[in-house]
Amino acid sequence: MELTQEEKEILNGVQGRSAAKAMQILVALGTIYGAQRMLPVSSVQIAGVSYDNLGEAGLSFLDEMAAGGGRTQVLATLNPAGMDVENWQTLGISPQFAAQQQRVLAAFARMNVITTCTCTPYLAGNLPHFGEHIAWAESSAVCYANSVLGARTNREGGPSALAAALTGRTPAYGYHLAGNRQPDLLCEVQARVEGTQAFGALGKAIGDRLQAAGQKIPFLRGVEQASLEELKALCASLATYGGTALFHMQGLTPESGQVTLPTDAISIQPADLEQAVASLNDADPAEVDFVSLGCPHLSLREVAHLAELLQGRQVRGEFWVTTSRPIKQIADRMGYTHVIEASGAKLAADSCCVVAPIKGRFQAMATDSAKACYYAASKNRFKTLFKPFDEIVMAALKPLAQPKAQS
Ligand code: F3S
Protein backbone atom coordinates (compact mmCIF):
# COMPACT_ATOMS: atom_id res chain seq x y z
CA MET A 1 0.00 0.00 0.00
CA GLU A 2 1.10 3.51 -0.65
CA LEU A 3 1.13 5.45 2.62
CA THR A 4 1.41 9.19 3.12
CA GLN A 5 4.33 10.61 5.09
CA GLU A 6 2.09 11.01 8.13
CA GLU A 7 0.80 7.44 7.87
CA LYS A 8 4.38 6.15 7.64
CA GLU A 9 5.27 8.11 10.76
CA ILE A 10 2.28 6.66 12.63
CA LEU A 11 3.41 3.19 11.56
CA ASN A 12 6.92 3.96 12.83
CA GLY A 13 5.65 4.92 16.26
CA VAL A 14 5.90 8.71 16.07
CA GLN A 15 2.39 8.96 17.59
CA GLY A 16 2.96 6.23 20.16
CA ARG A 17 2.91 2.47 20.27
CA SER A 18 -0.90 2.02 20.15
CA ALA A 19 -1.30 4.22 17.09
CA ALA A 20 1.54 2.21 15.47
CA LYS A 21 -0.22 -1.06 16.33
CA ALA A 22 -3.48 0.36 14.94
CA MET A 23 -1.75 1.32 11.68
CA GLN A 24 -0.22 -2.17 11.45
CA ILE A 25 -3.73 -3.68 11.71
CA LEU A 26 -5.02 -1.39 8.95
CA VAL A 27 -2.05 -2.03 6.64
CA ALA A 28 -2.48 -5.79 7.09
CA LEU A 29 -6.19 -5.50 6.31
CA GLY A 30 -5.58 -3.26 3.30
CA THR A 31 -2.93 -5.65 1.98
CA ILE A 32 -5.28 -8.64 2.26
CA TYR A 33 -8.03 -6.80 0.37
CA GLY A 34 -5.76 -5.18 -2.23
CA ALA A 35 -6.25 -1.56 -1.10
CA GLN A 36 -3.90 0.93 -2.76
CA ARG A 37 -4.09 3.57 -0.06
CA MET A 38 -5.74 4.75 3.13
CA LEU A 39 -8.78 7.00 3.31
CA PRO A 40 -9.52 9.49 6.07
CA VAL A 41 -12.66 8.59 8.06
CA SER A 42 -14.75 11.00 10.09
CA SER A 43 -16.83 8.60 12.18
CA VAL A 44 -16.25 5.23 13.85
CA GLN A 45 -18.60 2.78 15.57
CA ILE A 46 -16.85 0.12 17.64
CA ALA A 47 -18.38 -3.29 18.41
CA GLY A 48 -17.07 -5.96 20.76
CA VAL A 49 -18.00 -4.19 23.97
CA SER A 50 -19.78 -6.78 26.10
CA TYR A 51 -17.46 -8.54 28.52
CA ASP A 52 -19.55 -11.64 27.75
CA ASN A 53 -18.05 -11.65 24.24
CA LEU A 54 -14.65 -10.06 24.95
CA GLY A 55 -13.53 -12.07 27.95
CA GLU A 56 -10.16 -11.44 29.61
CA ALA A 57 -8.20 -11.61 26.35
CA GLY A 58 -10.28 -8.83 24.78
CA LEU A 59 -10.13 -6.71 27.91
CA SER A 60 -6.31 -7.04 28.06
CA PHE A 61 -6.04 -5.90 24.43
CA LEU A 62 -8.10 -2.78 25.22
CA ASP A 63 -6.10 -2.06 28.38
CA GLU A 64 -2.88 -2.37 26.41
CA MET A 65 -4.11 -0.02 23.68
CA ALA A 66 -5.18 2.54 26.29
CA ALA A 67 -1.88 2.22 28.19
CA GLY A 68 0.07 2.60 24.94
CA GLY A 69 -1.33 6.09 24.45
CA GLY A 70 -4.14 5.18 22.05
CA ARG A 71 -6.50 8.15 21.69
CA THR A 72 -9.28 8.60 19.13
CA GLN A 73 -8.66 11.01 16.27
CA VAL A 74 -12.30 11.20 15.14
CA LEU A 75 -15.82 10.81 16.52
CA ALA A 76 -15.94 7.27 17.89
CA THR A 77 -18.92 5.64 19.60
CA LEU A 78 -19.61 2.24 21.15
CA ASN A 79 -21.94 -0.69 20.60
CA PRO A 80 -24.06 -2.06 23.47
CA ALA A 81 -22.42 -3.44 26.60
CA GLY A 82 -23.43 -6.53 28.54
CA MET A 83 -25.56 -4.56 30.98
CA ASP A 84 -27.39 -1.34 31.71
CA VAL A 85 -24.42 0.66 32.93
CA GLU A 86 -26.41 2.63 35.52
CA ASN A 87 -28.94 0.02 36.53
CA TRP A 88 -27.40 -3.39 35.96
CA GLN A 89 -28.88 -4.96 39.11
CA THR A 90 -32.41 -4.76 37.65
CA LEU A 91 -31.39 -7.07 34.80
CA GLY A 92 -30.05 -9.68 37.21
CA ILE A 93 -26.39 -9.08 36.29
CA SER A 94 -23.83 -10.33 38.81
CA PRO A 95 -21.52 -7.85 40.59
CA GLN A 96 -18.50 -9.77 39.21
CA PHE A 97 -19.67 -9.32 35.61
CA ALA A 98 -20.55 -5.67 36.27
CA ALA A 99 -17.04 -4.98 37.58
CA GLN A 100 -15.39 -6.48 34.49
CA GLN A 101 -17.81 -4.67 32.17
CA GLN A 102 -16.95 -1.38 33.89
CA ARG A 103 -13.25 -2.07 33.25
CA VAL A 104 -14.00 -2.52 29.54
CA LEU A 105 -15.85 0.80 29.41
CA ALA A 106 -13.11 2.54 31.37
CA ALA A 107 -10.50 1.34 28.85
CA PHE A 108 -12.57 2.72 25.96
CA ALA A 109 -13.18 6.01 27.80
CA ARG A 110 -9.44 6.34 28.41
CA MET A 111 -8.97 6.24 24.65
CA ASN A 112 -11.62 9.00 24.36
CA VAL A 113 -14.17 6.67 22.77
CA ILE A 114 -17.62 8.02 23.65
CA THR A 115 -19.33 5.26 25.60
CA THR A 116 -22.75 5.58 23.97
CA CYS A 117 -23.35 1.82 24.15
CA THR A 118 -25.92 1.62 21.38
CA CYS A 119 -26.26 -0.18 18.06
CA THR A 120 -28.25 2.79 16.69
CA PRO A 121 -25.47 5.41 16.74
CA TYR A 122 -27.38 7.29 14.04
CA LEU A 123 -30.05 8.03 16.69
CA ALA A 124 -27.51 9.07 19.30
CA GLY A 125 -25.29 11.75 17.81
CA ASN A 126 -23.21 9.75 15.34
CA LEU A 127 -25.05 10.45 12.08
CA PRO A 128 -22.82 10.47 8.99
CA HIS A 129 -24.01 12.16 5.82
CA PHE A 130 -24.26 10.96 2.24
CA GLY A 131 -20.95 9.90 0.72
CA GLU A 132 -19.00 10.26 3.98
CA HIS A 133 -16.27 7.65 4.54
CA ILE A 134 -16.67 6.02 7.93
CA ALA A 135 -15.49 2.84 9.67
CA TRP A 136 -18.33 1.12 11.48
CA ALA A 137 -18.66 -2.23 13.11
CA GLU A 138 -22.10 -3.60 14.13
CA SER A 139 -23.66 -5.25 11.12
CA SER A 140 -27.14 -3.69 11.42
CA ALA A 141 -25.72 -0.18 11.74
CA VAL A 142 -23.29 -0.77 8.85
CA CYS A 143 -26.20 -1.80 6.62
CA TYR A 144 -28.19 1.26 7.74
CA ALA A 145 -25.26 3.65 7.20
CA ASN A 146 -24.44 2.35 3.71
CA SER A 147 -27.98 1.85 2.47
CA VAL A 148 -30.26 4.36 4.16
CA LEU A 149 -27.77 7.16 4.77
CA GLY A 150 -25.54 6.58 1.74
CA ALA A 151 -22.37 6.80 3.83
CA ARG A 152 -19.52 4.42 2.95
CA THR A 153 -18.20 1.74 5.22
CA ASN A 154 -17.04 -1.84 5.19
CA ARG A 155 -18.23 -4.24 7.89
CA GLU A 156 -15.47 -3.62 10.39
CA GLY A 157 -14.59 -5.94 13.23
CA GLY A 158 -13.93 -4.61 16.74
CA PRO A 159 -10.12 -4.31 16.36
CA SER A 160 -10.20 -2.74 12.88
CA ALA A 161 -12.83 -0.20 13.97
CA LEU A 162 -10.72 0.71 17.00
CA ALA A 163 -7.67 0.99 14.74
CA ALA A 164 -9.59 3.37 12.49
CA ALA A 165 -10.59 5.46 15.51
CA LEU A 166 -6.98 5.72 16.74
CA THR A 167 -5.59 6.75 13.36
CA GLY A 168 -8.55 8.40 11.59
CA ARG A 169 -7.90 6.11 8.61
CA THR A 170 -9.26 3.01 6.91
CA PRO A 171 -7.95 1.12 3.87
CA ALA A 172 -9.64 2.14 0.58
CA TYR A 173 -11.36 -1.04 -0.58
CA GLY A 174 -14.80 -2.67 -0.64
CA TYR A 175 -17.80 -0.41 -0.10
CA HIS A 176 -15.63 2.71 0.00
CA LEU A 177 -15.23 2.44 -3.78
CA ALA A 178 -18.17 3.50 -5.97
CA GLY A 179 -17.69 0.56 -8.33
CA ASN A 180 -18.34 -1.89 -5.50
CA ARG A 181 -21.74 -0.46 -4.61
CA GLN A 182 -23.63 -1.82 -7.61
CA PRO A 183 -26.47 -4.26 -6.84
CA ASP A 184 -26.16 -7.87 -8.03
CA LEU A 185 -29.67 -9.20 -7.39
CA LEU A 186 -33.00 -7.60 -8.22
CA CYS A 187 -35.65 -8.51 -5.64
CA GLU A 188 -39.20 -7.86 -6.81
CA VAL A 189 -41.20 -7.63 -3.61
CA GLN A 190 -44.72 -8.74 -4.51
CA ALA A 191 -46.07 -8.81 -1.00
CA ARG A 192 -47.40 -6.24 1.43
CA VAL A 193 -44.77 -5.47 4.03
CA GLU A 194 -45.71 -3.45 7.09
CA GLY A 195 -44.28 -3.27 10.60
CA THR A 196 -40.90 -4.18 12.06
CA GLN A 197 -41.60 -7.91 12.20
CA ALA A 198 -42.66 -8.02 8.54
CA PHE A 199 -39.56 -6.09 7.46
CA GLY A 200 -37.47 -8.50 9.54
CA ALA A 201 -39.15 -11.40 7.74
CA LEU A 202 -38.41 -9.71 4.40
CA GLY A 203 -34.75 -9.41 5.40
CA LYS A 204 -34.63 -13.11 6.25
CA ALA A 205 -36.37 -14.16 3.02
CA ILE A 206 -33.98 -12.08 0.89
CA GLY A 207 -30.94 -12.84 3.06
CA ASP A 208 -31.45 -16.59 2.68
CA ARG A 209 -31.69 -16.24 -1.10
CA LEU A 210 -28.53 -14.09 -1.23
CA GLN A 211 -26.62 -16.64 0.82
CA ALA A 212 -27.77 -19.49 -1.41
CA ALA A 213 -26.76 -17.62 -4.58
CA GLY A 214 -23.53 -16.14 -3.22
CA GLN A 215 -24.78 -12.63 -3.97
CA LYS A 216 -24.28 -9.58 -1.82
CA ILE A 217 -26.13 -6.40 -2.76
CA PRO A 218 -29.88 -6.64 -3.35
CA PHE A 219 -31.95 -4.03 -5.16
CA LEU A 220 -35.47 -4.09 -3.73
CA ARG A 221 -38.35 -3.03 -5.92
CA GLY A 222 -41.99 -2.96 -4.89
CA VAL A 223 -41.73 -1.63 -1.34
CA GLU A 224 -43.65 1.61 -1.44
CA GLN A 225 -42.83 3.02 1.94
CA ALA A 226 -40.75 2.22 4.98
CA SER A 227 -40.33 4.05 8.27
CA LEU A 228 -37.02 4.52 10.05
CA GLU A 229 -38.00 1.70 12.42
CA GLU A 230 -38.92 -0.66 9.58
CA LEU A 231 -35.65 0.11 7.79
CA LYS A 232 -33.60 -0.56 10.91
CA ALA A 233 -35.40 -3.91 11.32
CA LEU A 234 -34.73 -4.75 7.67
CA CYS A 235 -31.06 -3.80 7.97
CA ALA A 236 -30.57 -5.96 11.07
CA SER A 237 -32.21 -8.95 9.43
CA LEU A 238 -30.52 -8.64 6.02
CA ALA A 239 -27.15 -8.30 7.74
CA THR A 240 -27.82 -11.35 9.92
CA TYR A 241 -29.20 -13.73 7.31
CA GLY A 242 -27.57 -12.43 4.13
CA GLY A 243 -24.33 -10.94 5.46
CA THR A 244 -25.58 -7.80 3.68
CA ALA A 245 -23.76 -4.51 4.23
CA LEU A 246 -25.56 -2.56 1.52
CA PHE A 247 -28.89 -2.71 -0.28
CA HIS A 248 -30.80 -0.33 -2.50
CA MET A 249 -34.55 0.19 -2.39
CA GLN A 250 -36.28 1.87 -5.29
CA GLY A 251 -37.42 5.37 -4.41
CA LEU A 252 -36.36 5.07 -0.79
CA THR A 253 -32.59 4.80 -0.50
CA PRO A 254 -30.35 7.60 -1.79
CA GLU A 255 -28.28 5.66 -4.34
CA SER A 256 -31.19 3.69 -5.79
CA GLY A 257 -31.56 6.06 -8.73
CA GLN A 258 -27.85 6.02 -9.57
CA VAL A 259 -27.13 2.30 -9.87
CA THR A 260 -27.59 -0.13 -12.75
CA LEU A 261 -30.34 -2.71 -12.28
CA PRO A 262 -28.97 -6.25 -12.14
CA THR A 263 -30.17 -8.87 -14.60
CA ASP A 264 -30.42 -11.66 -11.99
CA ALA A 265 -33.83 -11.38 -10.38
CA ILE A 266 -36.02 -13.10 -7.82
CA SER A 267 -39.49 -12.36 -6.59
CA ILE A 268 -40.61 -12.33 -2.99
CA GLN A 269 -44.17 -13.53 -2.58
CA PRO A 270 -46.42 -13.53 0.51
CA ALA A 271 -45.60 -17.25 0.92
CA ASP A 272 -41.87 -16.41 1.23
CA LEU A 273 -42.60 -14.04 4.09
CA GLU A 274 -44.87 -16.58 5.76
CA GLN A 275 -42.14 -19.18 5.49
CA ALA A 276 -39.55 -16.80 6.97
CA VAL A 277 -41.88 -16.08 9.89
CA ALA A 278 -42.63 -19.77 10.43
CA SER A 279 -38.93 -20.65 10.45
CA LEU A 280 -38.36 -18.29 13.40
CA ASN A 281 -41.27 -19.60 15.47
CA ASP A 282 -40.41 -22.75 17.37
CA ALA A 283 -41.79 -21.80 20.78
CA ASP A 284 -45.29 -22.46 21.99
CA PRO A 285 -46.79 -19.19 23.31
CA ALA A 286 -47.35 -20.91 26.65
CA GLU A 287 -43.60 -21.60 26.97
CA VAL A 288 -42.56 -17.93 26.68
CA ASP A 289 -40.83 -16.78 29.86
CA PHE A 290 -38.94 -13.81 28.40
CA VAL A 291 -40.04 -10.92 26.21
CA SER A 292 -37.45 -8.72 24.54
CA LEU A 293 -38.11 -5.64 22.42
CA GLY A 294 -35.35 -3.39 21.14
CA CYS A 295 -33.15 -5.22 18.63
CA PRO A 296 -31.88 -2.93 17.17
CA HIS A 297 -32.34 -0.45 20.02
CA LEU A 298 -35.79 1.11 20.09
CA SER A 299 -36.34 4.57 18.64
CA LEU A 300 -38.11 7.30 20.58
CA ARG A 301 -41.28 6.67 18.59
CA GLU A 302 -41.22 2.98 19.48
CA VAL A 303 -40.70 3.71 23.18
CA ALA A 304 -43.58 6.22 23.13
CA HIS A 305 -45.84 3.69 21.39
CA LEU A 306 -44.90 0.99 23.89
CA ALA A 307 -45.77 3.31 26.78
CA GLU A 308 -49.20 3.81 25.21
CA LEU A 309 -49.75 0.06 25.01
CA LEU A 310 -48.60 -0.53 28.58
CA GLN A 311 -50.45 2.39 30.18
CA GLY A 312 -52.30 1.11 33.26
CA ARG A 313 -51.50 -2.54 32.50
CA GLN A 314 -49.28 -5.19 34.07
CA VAL A 315 -47.00 -7.63 32.23
CA ARG A 316 -46.36 -11.16 33.34
CA GLY A 317 -42.85 -12.52 33.40
CA GLU A 318 -39.52 -10.98 32.47
CA PHE A 319 -39.95 -8.20 29.88
CA TRP A 320 -36.95 -6.21 28.59
CA VAL A 321 -37.14 -3.02 26.56
CA THR A 322 -33.70 -2.07 25.27
CA THR A 323 -32.69 1.29 23.90
CA SER A 324 -29.93 3.88 23.91
CA ARG A 325 -29.17 6.09 26.92
CA PRO A 326 -30.21 9.37 25.18
CA ILE A 327 -33.59 7.89 24.25
CA LYS A 328 -34.01 6.50 27.76
CA GLN A 329 -33.33 10.00 29.13
CA ILE A 330 -36.03 11.54 26.95
CA ALA A 331 -38.36 8.68 27.93
CA ASP A 332 -37.66 9.56 31.58
CA ARG A 333 -38.57 13.18 30.93
CA MET A 334 -41.75 12.32 29.03
CA GLY A 335 -42.98 9.88 31.67
CA TYR A 336 -42.69 6.86 29.33
CA THR A 337 -40.17 5.18 31.61
CA HIS A 338 -42.54 5.52 34.54
CA VAL A 339 -45.42 3.93 32.61
CA ILE A 340 -43.23 1.10 31.30
CA GLU A 341 -41.70 0.33 34.68
CA ALA A 342 -45.06 0.58 36.47
CA SER A 343 -46.23 -2.26 34.21
CA GLY A 344 -43.42 -4.48 35.47
CA ALA A 345 -41.39 -4.25 32.24
CA LYS A 346 -37.74 -3.15 32.48
CA LEU A 347 -36.54 -0.25 30.36
CA ALA A 348 -32.85 -0.99 29.97
CA ALA A 349 -30.35 1.28 28.25
CA ASP A 350 -26.86 0.37 26.97
CA SER A 351 -27.48 -3.35 26.45
CA CYS A 352 -29.62 -5.98 24.74
CA CYS A 353 -30.85 -9.55 24.97
CA VAL A 354 -28.00 -10.79 22.78
CA VAL A 355 -24.94 -9.24 24.43
CA ALA A 356 -26.12 -9.56 28.05
CA PRO A 357 -24.93 -12.71 29.87
CA ILE A 358 -28.29 -14.51 30.03
CA LYS A 359 -27.53 -17.92 28.54
CA GLY A 360 -29.58 -20.57 30.35
CA ARG A 361 -31.76 -18.08 32.22
CA PHE A 362 -34.83 -18.49 30.01
CA GLN A 363 -36.51 -21.12 27.93
CA ALA A 364 -38.38 -19.21 25.23
CA MET A 365 -38.17 -15.60 24.09
CA ALA A 366 -40.85 -13.54 22.34
CA THR A 367 -39.65 -10.72 20.08
CA ASP A 368 -40.47 -8.77 16.92
CA SER A 369 -36.83 -8.93 15.81
CA ALA A 370 -35.65 -11.47 13.24
CA LYS A 371 -32.04 -10.78 14.26
CA ALA A 372 -32.77 -11.38 17.94
CA CYS A 373 -34.37 -14.72 17.03
CA TYR A 374 -31.17 -15.83 15.31
CA TYR A 375 -28.93 -15.04 18.28
CA ALA A 376 -31.43 -16.19 20.90
CA ALA A 377 -31.24 -19.63 19.30
CA SER A 378 -27.55 -19.74 18.37
CA LYS A 379 -26.00 -17.99 21.38
CA ASN A 380 -28.46 -18.48 24.20
CA ARG A 381 -30.27 -21.67 23.11
CA PHE A 382 -33.68 -20.11 23.63
CA LYS A 383 -36.71 -21.10 21.61
CA THR A 384 -38.32 -18.10 19.89
CA LEU A 385 -41.73 -16.64 19.23
CA PHE A 386 -41.51 -14.13 16.37
CA LYS A 387 -44.59 -11.88 16.19
CA PRO A 388 -45.48 -8.25 15.40
CA PHE A 389 -44.55 -5.68 18.05
CA ASP A 390 -48.12 -4.99 19.27
CA GLU A 391 -49.01 -8.69 19.41
CA ILE A 392 -45.94 -9.41 21.52
CA VAL A 393 -46.98 -6.71 23.99
CA MET A 394 -50.64 -7.74 24.10
CA ALA A 395 -49.77 -11.38 24.70
CA ALA A 396 -47.54 -10.39 27.62
CA LEU A 397 -50.26 -8.47 29.47
CA LYS A 398 -52.03 -9.80 32.52
CA PRO A 399 -55.83 -9.77 32.11
CA LEU A 400 -57.55 -6.67 33.42
CA ALA A 401 -59.21 -7.15 36.81
CA GLN A 402 -63.00 -7.55 36.41
CA PRO A 403 -65.06 -4.84 38.15
CA LYS A 404 -66.85 -6.18 41.24
CA ALA A 405 -70.53 -7.01 40.64
CA GLN A 406 -73.01 -4.62 42.38
CA SER A 407 -74.95 -6.34 45.16
FE1 F3S B 1 -28.36 -4.17 18.69
FE2 F3S B 1 -28.09 -6.17 20.30
FE3 F3S B 1 -29.70 -6.36 18.26
S1 F3S B 1 -26.47 -4.91 19.57
S2 F3S B 1 -28.87 -5.03 16.72
S3 F3S B 1 -29.91 -4.97 20.02
S4 F3S B 1 -28.25 -7.89 18.92
Side-chain angles (χ1 to χ4, degrees):
M1 287 183 75
E2 196 153 317
L3 300 183
T4 63
Q5 184 57 30
E6 189 189 0
E7 288 159 359
K8 284 182 195 160
E9 286 173 7
I10 298 173
L11 193 59
N12 292 332
V14 171
Q15 294 187 15
R17 78 169 187 267
S18 294
K21 174 94 194 145
M23 191 56 88
Q24 281 168 19
I25 292 171
L26 298 177
V27 169
L29 198 63
T31 306
I32 290 168
Y33 287 101
Q36 310 274 307
R37 62 190 174 97
M38 295 288 172
L39 281 169
V41 292
S42 47
S43 155
V44 172
Q45 167 77 2
I46 301 171
V49 180
S50 172
Y51 182 74
D52 199 37
N53 299 336
L54 280 172
E56 268 314 299
L59 176 52
S60 301
F61 171 73
L62 295 174
D63 274 339
E64 234 173 75
M65 294 300 271
R71 299 294 179 268
T72 59
Q73 303 301 309
V74 294
L75 174 66
T77 50
L78 271 195
N79 231 32
M83 62 186 199
D84 183 311
V85 177
E86 296 177 13
N87 199 15
W88 48 268
Q89 294 92 337
T90 317
L91 302 183
I93 304 294
S94 74
Q96 293 77 8
F97 181 91
Q100 297 303 70
Q101 184 64 74
Q102 293 288 12
R103 285 183 56 209
V104 171
L105 297 178
F108 277 121
R110 219 174 137 196
M111 291 185 273
N112 293 338
V113 177
I114 303 172
T115 55
T116 44
C117 299
T118 180
C119 50
T120 54
Y122 45 89
L123 298 180
N126 190 351
L127 178 66
H129 59 67
F130 183 83
E132 197 169 344
H133 292 281
I134 62 175
W136 280 20
E138 170 46 41
S139 62
S140 68
V142 164
C143 190
Y144 193 95
N146 270 324
S147 315
V148 180
L149 303 177
R152 296 184 173 196
T153 179
N154 288 317
R155 269 173 78 143
E156 301 295 343
S160 66
L162 179 62
L166 300 185
T167 58
R169 306 288 204 286
T170 198
Y173 73 97
Y175 295 107
H176 289 285
L177 309 179
N180 294 333
R181 297 175 69 86
Q182 289 293 327
D184 54 7
L185 184 68
L186 175 61
C187 302
E188 299 277 12
V189 181
Q190 294 168 343
R192 189 158 171 268
V193 193
E194 194 179 348
T196 48
Q197 187 235 17
F199 273 82
L202 178 65
K204 170 147 177 52
I206 295 176
D208 287 347
R209 304 280 281 272
L210 288 168
Q211 283 288 348
Q215 278 148 324
K216 283 199 166 71
I217 307 178
F219 185 102
L220 281 64
R221 196 156 65 177
V223 178
E224 280 173 13
Q225 53 183 18
S227 65
L228 180 156
E229 291 77 10
E230 289 166 333
L231 288 169
K232 92 178 150 62
L234 175 67
C235 287
S237 182
L238 269 175
T240 300
Y241 296 101
T244 306
L246 167 65
F247 69 89
H248 304 287
M249 191 185 273
Q250 189 170 58
L252 284 169
T253 60
E255 286 164 86
S256 64
Q258 303 168 7
V259 294
T260 310
L261 284 190
T263 46
D264 277 2
I266 59 166
S267 76
I268 299 291
Q269 302 291 330
D272 297 310
L273 300 186
E274 282 160 25
Q275 197 192 334
V277 169
S279 71
L280 299 179
N281 272 294
D282 65 348
D284 187 279
E287 287 178 292
V288 170
D289 53 357
F290 180 41
V291 174
S292 181
L293 296 173
C295 173
H297 275 171
L298 291 190
S299 69
L300 191 53
R301 180 159 46 185
E302 287 173 311
V303 174
H305 178 60
L306 179 65
E308 251 175 62
L309 296 176
L310 291 178
Q311 176 75 51
R313 302 297 301 266
Q314 290 289 303
V315 299
R316 45 177 162 227
E318 191 77 0
F319 190 132
W320 288 16
V321 182
T322 51
T323 189
S324 64
R325 180 67 55 190
I327 285 183
K328 162 84 167 46
Q329 284 168 340
I330 298 169
D332 293 349
R333 181 186 295 169
M334 293 302 295
Y336 305 146
T337 305
H338 177 74
V339 170
I340 291 167
E341 292 183 346
S343 77
K346 297 170 180 175
L347 183 54
D350 311 317
S351 191
C352 78
C353 65
V354 172
V355 298
I358 54 172
K359 189 171 180 180
R361 255 175 73 184
F362 306 105
Q363 186 182 353
M365 183 180 90
T367 182
D368 68 328
S369 164
K371 175 176 179 175
C373 287
Y374 177 86
Y375 287 102
S378 62
K379 179 175 182 243
N380 290 328
R381 308 272 174 244
F382 301 157
K383 289 185 180 178
T384 55
L385 193 72
F386 177 52
K387 298 279 179 204
F389 189 99
D390 287 23
E391 273 183 44
I392 296 277
V393 178
M394 293 306 167
L397 297 177
K398 288 183 183 168
L400 282 171
Q402 293 297 319
K404 285 198 180 122
Q406 298 282 324
S407 53

